[in-house]
């Protein structure tokens, strides 16, 4: 790993630690998405409003955030429940990214950080759906089968976002002139 990549990785890890501390102290935090594992539900560049959550607050279909290797991961809950061990019940949560082939390793109650309560995209607030619509399921299936398709679609999306941001940035100048 080159020094700049290592510095970026360390800076990202510190940001995640700070966000986790803020989440634990205030109960909410906003984070910008960088990955594409939740396409087409959540896109790189979206902002997620996270609310601290316990296992009892989580149901199948919710999008949750957990810590994995000093970074945050937002994935959909595919199953949630508890297993009796003597007098105690051990909760577990199984998650999977919408655009990923395989489920994640089951989470324990200590792994869970938050539940996604809102997605902000292009200035619009979107309530996370508990399931994908038929068209979204088809798109997610394409992304599961083709990394290239996911990369191309994200690049086009990013280009459109850049153009939209440029146009929005030009409006005040033209109005002032």
């Amino acid at each position: 790993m080159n020094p700049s990549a290592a510095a970026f990785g360390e800076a990202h890890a510190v940001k995640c630690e700070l966000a986790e501390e803020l989440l634990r102290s205030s109960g909410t935090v906003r984070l910008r998405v960088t990955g594409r594992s939740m396409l087409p539900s959540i896109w790189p560049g979206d902002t997620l409003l996270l609310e601290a959550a316990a296992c009892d607050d989580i149901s199948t279909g919710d999008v949750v955030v957990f810590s994995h290797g000093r970074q945050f991961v937002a994935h959909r809950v595919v199953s949630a429940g508890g297993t009796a061990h003597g007098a105690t019940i051990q909760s577990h949560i199984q998650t999977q990214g919408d655009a990923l082939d395989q489920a994640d390793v089951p989470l324990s109650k200590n792994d869970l950080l938050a539940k996604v309560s809102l997605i902000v995209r292009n200035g619009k607030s979107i309530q996370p759906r508990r399931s994908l619509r038929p068209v979204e399921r088809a798109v997610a299936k394409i992304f599961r089968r083709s990394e290239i398709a996911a990369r191309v679609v994200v690049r086009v999306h990013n280009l459109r976002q850049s153009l939209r941001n440029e146009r929005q940035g030009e409006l005040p100048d033209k109005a002032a002139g």
Side-chain angles (χ1 to χ4, degrees):
M1 183 181 296
N2 67 40
S4 62
F8 173 80
E10 186 60 30
H12 183 76
V14 169
K15 289 177 186 177
C16 287
E17 289 170 12
L18 289 171
E20 186 174 346
E21 184 61 34
L22 182 61
L23 184 61
R24 291 188 196 286
S25 64
S26 73
T28 62
V29 70
R30 289 178 181 258
L31 293 177
R32 183 167 295 265
V33 175
T34 58
R36 56 181 185 255
S37 66
M38 282 298 291
L39 289 172
S41 305
I42 300 173
W43 289 80
D46 287 353
T47 299
L48 304 180
L49 176 61
L50 308 180
E51 293 182 1
C55 287
D56 296 342
D57 304 325
I58 302 303
S59 300
T60 300
D62 289 339
V63 178
V64 298
V65 174
F66 56 95
S67 184
H68 176 73
R70 296 184 74 195
Q71 63 183 358
F72 288 171
V73 177
H75 282 172
R76 189 173 309 279
V77 175
V78 294
S79 70
T83 307
H85 292 283
T88 62
I89 295 178
Q90 187 162 10
S91 297
H92 73 276
I93 299 169
Q94 184 75 55
T95 59
Q96 181 174 347
D98 290 348
L100 299 180
D101 269 338
Q102 297 181 336
D104 304 315
V105 173
L107 304 175
S108 72
K109 66 180 180 181
N110 297 329
D111 297 326
L112 178 67
L113 295 174
K115 181 176 174 178
V116 175
S117 61
L118 202 63
I119 303 165
V120 180
R121 180 180 304 138
N122 300 326
K124 296 178 182 164
S125 297
I126 304 163
Q127 290 291 324
R129 284 196 163 86
R130 295 177 62 76
S131 62
L132 297 176
R133 293 179 284 191
V135 170
E136 292 170 325
R137 277 196 300 274
V139 170
K141 194 174 220 177
I142 292 168
F143 292 153
R144 285 184 197 130
R145 297 189 192 288
S146 174
E147 175 76 17
I148 294 170
R151 279 196 305 230
V152 167
V153 169
V154 168
R155 283 194 180 169
V156 170
H157 173 78
N158 290 343
L159 180 60
R160 291 180 67 203
Q161 291 293 98
S162 294
L163 292 172
R164 180 179 290 120
N165 292 340
E166 284 180 23
R167 281 192 296 250
Q168 289 175 348
E170 291 174 2
L171 290 177
D173 293 339
K174 289 179 180 178

